[in-house]
Amino acid sequence: MPEKDKGNAGAGRILLAMTGINPRPWYELLSQKRRVATEPEGADDPTIRYAVVWKQRPNLLSKLPNLSAIFSVGAGVDHILSDPTLPDVPIVRIVADNLTQHMTDYVVWRVLDHHRQGMLYRAQQKRKVWHEPPQRPAGDVAVGIMGFGELGRAAARILVACGFRVNGWSRTAQSVADVATFHGEKGLTPFLNATDILVVLLPLTPQTTGIVNYGLLKQLRKRNALGGAVLVNAGRGKLQKDADIVRALEDGTLKEASLDVFEVEPLPKTSPLWNHPRVFVTPHAAATSDPAFLVPPMLEQMEAFERGEPLKHLVDRKAGY
Ligand SMILES: NC(=O)c1ccc[n+]([C@@H]2O[C@H](COP(=O)([O-])OP(=O)(O)OC[C@H]3O[C@@H](n4cnc5c(N)ncnc54)[C@H](OP(=O)(O)O)[C@@H]3O)[C@@H](O)[C@H]2O)c1
């Protein structure tokens, strides 16, 4: 780590509280504009105004008397809210074009690959098989986006432009052009019954934990243009039951899956998902938080806040996201 504290002495000081990711690039960029510490000077350090966090250590933020806001370096905030000692200050999450674009790329890539039978062609190539399966139009395929927020809606726009039918499921009612929207518990079964490719972009909350289980996958459309239901999860691993996905793949409930997230990460070497011929695995890399793009809007928010403007993209702690 570079020296502990540098940057604009007048502005509110930032505590960089990260575990599991490399804090260095965040430190380098934040400290160009502000004083940044990687450890508070005592549990009740009065100089800390903001915390920029990824899976902060419990108790680290609880006693800081002048902490005004917590900034998540991810779109999800489950890594922050799981701390039972979290102080009651506003939490700002990431909403940024760069991250949204990465997620849209990932979703469209995976949907197109399943639609255009990428798994079949890769298997055929391995065996040097020259065979052309039937081609179906995108309009015969319904993509259901579970978690129809910033990322889900952005992916939907491109999928609609590609010609897919798109369904969206959210907690509260939404109305989006060219998308069939569903919401709440009552809307879940009709949403699943009308979906061929399920794309999961939910946040992890007590309500959504384990939601992608065998019973849910059973409700997807199996007799469809793709020859089976497909799952794409780029939300959070604990939304799904890994063993249920394996079971669903084995008994034909699911045809294929693209998984970016897993119940345990890194995915244990013993997981059958690694070697499954109809599973595409990426290492929680659908939309990486790139500090070069995410630090500038974070610093702008701090400046605006100090001018008296309200913070944007605040987490609703009661809803859990
Ligand atoms: N794999 C990766 O690399 C990666 C990268 C970035 C983000 N993510 C994940 O993507 C998630 C979504 O990000 P976002 O920016 O799109 O979040 P967002 O804007 O907060 O959207 C969340 C969506 O989920 C819906 N939702 C929440 N709880 C629900 C429930 N109980 N039942 C039904 N719908 C529910 C919300 O409904 P309302 O519209 O009614 O509020 C909203 O539509 C993040 O939380 C994070 O976990 C993953």
Side-chain angles (χ1 to χ4, degrees):
M1 207 66 213
E3 75 258 43
K4 206 171 165 198
D5 198 353
K6 61 182 188 180
N8 178 354
R13 195 163 175 241
I14 297 170
L15 174 66
L16 195 54
M18 293 178 165
T19 66
I21 61 170
N22 179 12
R24 183 179 289 269
W26 297 89
Y27 182 94
E28 292 295 340
L29 290 162
L30 287 165
S31 62
Q32 284 172 13
K33 288 275 162 87
R34 284 186 178 253
R35 296 186 301 147
V36 183
T38 50
E39 278 294 333
E41 284 161 20
D44 56 354
D45 183 344
T47 67
I48 304 294
R49 183 107 195 253
Y50 307 105
V52 172
V53 306
W54 181 260
K55 293 185 188 163
Q56 78 281 4
R57 291 197 321 266
N59 281 317
L60 187 66
L61 310 179
S62 56
K63 296 193 181 73
L64 299 171
N66 295 320
L67 187 68
S68 297
I70 298 170
F71 287 76
S72 170
V73 301
V77 289
D78 45 292
H79 64 100
I80 297 176
L81 296 175
S82 58
D83 177 355
T85 66
L86 198 65
D88 188 15
V89 298
I91 301 170
V92 177
R93 70 184 196 94
I94 292 284
V95 176
D97 291 349
N98 176 262
L99 188 97
T100 304
Q101 181 67 55
H102 282 311
M103 186 57 87
T104 298
D105 291 351
Y106 171 86
V107 171
V108 174
W109 171 42
R110 296 324 308 148
V111 166
L112 282 173
D113 189 55
H114 290 290
H115 169 56
R116 291 307 308 261
Q117 313 219 37
M119 293 215 178
L120 175 71
Y121 284 123
R122 284 189 290 276
Q124 286 191 174
Q125 186 175 346
K126 241 185 192 167
R127 291 181 290 122
K128 301 180 182 164
V129 172
W130 188 270
H131 161 71
E132 189 190 331
Q135 274 178 28
R136 302 293 195 123
D140 282 0
V141 177
V143 182
I145 303 183
M146 198 177 181
F148 208 52
E150 295 288 341
L151 301 178
R153 288 192 301 267
R157 279 193 287 277
I158 307 300
L159 291 170
V160 166
C162 290
F164 291 100
R165 280 181 285 138
V166 177
N167 305 318
W169 184 69
S170 50
R171 189 171 60 93
T172 57
Q174 295 202 30
S175 169
V176 174
D178 302 319
V179 174
T181 51
F182 303 79
H183 70 278
E185 259 176 62
K186 276 203 181 125
L188 184 55
T189 293
F191 163 79
L192 295 167
N193 290 170
T195 290
D196 305 317
I197 300 181
L198 178 68
V199 175
V200 183
L201 283 174
L202 282 166
L204 184 68
T205 70
Q207 288 71 41
T208 61
T209 300
I211 194 169
V212 183
N213 54 37
Y214 186 76
L216 178 137
L217 297 172
K218 261 289 191 225
Q219 297 178 64
L220 295 171
R221 283 206 305 213
K222 260 202 311 190
R223 278 197 207 95
N224 59 26
L226 299 168
V230 173
L231 169 68
V232 177
N233 187 4
R236 284 285 185 267
K238 286 191 167 56
L239 295 168
Q240 76 192 24
K241 296 275 174 206
D242 289 11
D244 286 18
I245 295 172
V246 175
R247 177 181 166 202
L249 286 160
E250 291 310 302
D251 72 7
T253 297
L254 274 182
K255 180 186 173 216
E256 298 170 351
S258 284
L259 303 173
D260 185 55
V261 289
F262 303 88
E263 270 185 271
V264 177
E265 294 178 4
L267 181 62
K269 299 254 190 272
T270 51
S271 170
L273 292 168
W274 275 117
N275 293 326
H276 199 289
R278 285 175 285 119
V279 177
F280 185 86
V281 170
T282 44
H284 199 143
T288 304
S289 292
D290 183 342
F293 291 92
L294 303 186
V295 163
M298 219 175 247
L299 289 167
E300 277 161 31
Q301 279 239 61
M302 291 173 195
E303 277 164 32
F305 180 66
E306 287 168 6
R307 288 194 301 270
E309 293 169 32
L311 290 165
K312 289 183 283 189
H313 313 309
L314 287 177
V315 171
D316 174 347
R317 284 172 82 146
K318 200 157 158 248
Y321 65 97

